[in-house]
Amino acid sequence: MIIKRFDRQEELDQYAAHLITNIVREKEQPVLGLATGSTPVGIYKAIIEEASRTRLSFGHVTTYNLDEYVGLAPNHEQSYSYYMNEHLFRHLDFQPGKTHLPDGLAADPEAECKRYDEMLANHPLDVQLLGVGHNGHIGFNEPDAELHGGTHVVRLKEETRTANARFFDRAEEVPEFAFTMGVGSILKSKMIILVARGADKADIIKKALQGPITTACPASLLQTHANVIVLLDAEAGRELSEDGTRIQMVHS
Ligand code: GLP
């Protein structure tokens, strides 16, 4: 695991963007695992800037998002489908048929999970971009006694609904359920980029990266992956000790 701590947000964003555009440049059929939330917004902006500047095409890129709210249509402003279009897809030449999210309106949720897993099995992820929830969730894999390997429907914890209420007009509008890729699928990605910003993420980053590996903190399972790069701002990284043998700390 490599951990990089950045003093400036723009540097973090450009670094993450570059890791992803390198894959887009190098691979014949790149497959990107994408995330939502406030954390990746600047990274998507940096990808758009770099791609526009270097005339990099995304026409050959396939994407899979981590999650989607159950019950929200793709054109609902708080759906992750809408978010991805707004923050990334519509700015570059992504092919509509190649950008995938679980269908929040699927009539048969179980069949939808199976469909998503089959697509993922046929298109192994080259990279998975991840944020982390305050309780250690990745995607919408909430802390629990057991975690799921594949795509499933999860009942969101109240703390997660409260944290995400800031994106909705009223807290009650935050859906109770969501589709999420499972931790098994996340860990199958060839490379994982975990990003966290802000003092409010410092405790969970410490637990996830230097605490015990436990389903009580799904992000801690990332410690078992051979190719994880963690990008933090100074605040999110402030609780980490630099003497861990499994960690390479780089300051910029
Ligand atoms: C959300 C998303 C996660 C995201 C996390 C943190 O609920 N499902 O994929 O990583 O919570 O969000 P933020 O980046 O806004 O802190």
Side-chain angles (χ1 to χ4, degrees), residues 28 35 41 56-57 64 76 82 92 97 112 122 129 170 207 226:
E28 219 166 285
V41 171
L56 178 63
S57 172
Y64 290 94
H76 187 291
Y82 187 92
L92 298 171
E112 177 60 7
N122 291 327
L129 182 61
R170 289 179 307 132
K207 279 193 192 125

Side-chain angles (χ1 to χ4, degrees), residues 36-39 66-67 80 131-133 137 139-140 160 164 166 201:
T36 52
S38 51
T39 306
L66 284 166
D67 43 20
Y80 287 162
V132 60
H137 72 230
F140 269 134
T160 299
N164 288 1
R166 68 191 194 278
K201 294 283 172 75

Side-chain angles (χ1 to χ4, degrees), residues 5-17 231 252:
R5 248 181 359 195
F6 294 84
D7 294 329
R8 293 176 50 242
Q9 299 289 348
E10 309 82 68
E11 269 183 60
L12 187 163
D13 291 334
Q14 283 162 11
Y15 189 90
L231 308 178
S252 77

